[in-house]
Amino acid sequence: MTEALNRLTTALADRYRIERQLGQGGMATVYLAEDLRHRRKVALKLLRPELAAVIGGDRFLHEITTTANLQHPHILALFDSGQVTITDPDRGDSIRTVFYVMPYVEGESLRDRLLREKQLPVEEALRIAGEVASALSYAHRHGIIHRDIKPENILLHDGQVLVADFGIALAASTAGGARLTETGLSLGTPQYMSPEQAMGERTLDARSDLYALGCVLYEMLAGEPPFTGPTVQAIVARVMTEAPRPLRIQRHTVPEGVEAAVVKALEKLPADRFATAAEFAEALLRPVPVTASAATAAAPTTVLPGTRSALSRQALRFAPWILAAAGIAVAGWSLTRTRAAPARPLVRYSLIPPEHSRILDVGGPPVTIQPDGAGLVYIGLVSGRPRQLLRWRFDGGTPVPLPGTDNAAWPFFSPDGEWVGFLSGGQLRKVRIDGGGVATIGAAGTAAGSFRGATWTPKGDIVFATSSGLFRIPAEGGPLQHVALGAGSGQLAFFPAALPTGDVVVGLVGQTGANPTELVVISLPTGRITRLGLPGSNPRYVEPGYLAFTNTEGSLL
């Protein structure tokens, strides 16, 4: 036992026998002790002397009494509190500080478990979050805000959750007033602080606790808090300016409804979060939409035309392109339709063209889907002809060649579905879907370098990527405008896809000769590139506000 511990033991000898130190946090040192009067094990917390000096012991003890009457199965009770005089072993002078006593929990903290397991089973994480929310709901109804929800303050005992230090941070803040800020002392933990708390606002409400609980649940599911960094300043900067990385990107077993609830809890503005802990808990338990994988497993399979029991080798070879194009386009059409009509069962299509008009691989996506989901256009080879574009409707029939599209590559639809753009002979061209004629838009391939995809914006521009950068040109023809990247940047743009505003495209950026590519958003007026921090390919916007893309394994996300 250290000299300091001996002195503390002496000072409290009439009430508690101090056995050993359990831990140390930002506000207090925790000791295992025996309550001599009641013959029970307790956790005795000694407030940091410098914090006690700023707060004032009497004021702190007065404020902490408001939490002593909290009685809830998931709140760790407050047994006792008081002041004690001890001698600082380093300076040799006497210091008067504050202690408070709680039940000793024979178990572990949530932090201990996360250090051991990193991530918890989804069901277990939701149960823990629900029990913490129950404790918060009770305390909030009694006017008590915790202000320091974090894994260290969530104890696990016999399968049950106990939230510790209820109201301690509030008592310290209320008693210390503005002097806490003046001394530089911080109440709370940066990784779990709400934006308003991180900014030093003293008037916090229940929604600050809900933000912290959202951070804790995020960590239980993802393995780390939503915002981390090498310094407190770096963490606070991310809390204030960034959105957390999507949970389901990191862990696909997290239900969509759970991710949506966590995102709402982590909103920057308190007004955008849940109003109460009960609302948060209810949202975590709501039935969630059927995921694409679950729906696909249960859905009937329809094979159009040329029915076969399995995909041909040719279809398998183009599976990533077809999955991205067909999955995203049909998903967007389906989501738009279901706004006004009942949901329809998901149907899987295996599209195998006739042997005389097979799909060709020419170095880019060979398939593009009509915006209304009625059919597709693909690059095919018909006997005795050069490769060309063929239109194939989903309601039956055989593929029909589009005249004037010889040697076509990189097909893409106009937003209204009336035209198909494509590359041929170094020129961007367009053809009417009904076969009514071909028009040249402008040079793209030869002058600009290797072609890497194009999109047709709602404002009537064609945006395309090459090894020389990202460019746009009016769909009716006109001057070519450089948008972003370019020679010497060491970066390449791939597969731009227009967003509904017409001024922004989503796409990919990768380093020359490197893999994988990263999803980005690019402003057409300014050329500004915003990185999304997600590796992937074939991004597409899907109503009513999603980004669909494929990962390196070829799964549609």
Side-chain angles (χ1 to χ4, degrees), residues 65-133:
T65 56
T66 60
T67 69
N69 293 320
L70 293 178
Q71 301 292 326
H72 187 275
H74 297 303
I75 293 179
L76 195 65
L78 178 67
F79 279 166
D80 189 15
S81 61
Q83 297 188 66
V84 61
T85 301
I86 58 175
T87 300
D88 188 321
D90 298 322
R91 298 189 302 178
D93 57 350
S94 295
I95 297 175
R96 190 164 179 80
T97 188
V98 173
F99 70 91
Y100 50 100
V101 181
M102 301 172 295
Y104 172 64
V105 176
E106 293 184 354
E108 63 180 348
S109 70
L110 178 58
R111 170 61 64 215
D112 295 330
R113 184 167 178 189
L114 288 173
L115 286 174
R116 187 176 67 252
E117 300 182 18
K118 189 174 175 64
Q119 293 167 288
L120 303 189
V122 173
E123 297 78 6
E124 179 74 355
L126 295 180
R127 181 189 67 80
I128 291 172
E131 292 183 5
V132 174

Side-chain angles (χ1 to χ4, degrees), residues 464-487:
F464 62 93
T466 77
S467 59
S468 298
L470 192 72
F471 301 84
R472 70 171 168 177
I473 187 173
E476 299 302 320
L480 187 66
Q481 177 187 351
H482 177 259
V483 175
L485 305 176

Side-chain angles (χ1 to χ4, degrees), residues 2 49 58 63 77 121 168 191 208 292 337 342 411 550:
T2 66
D58 292 335
E63 293 296 336
I168 303 301
Q191 291 91 334
S208 186
R337 295 267 300 185
T550 55

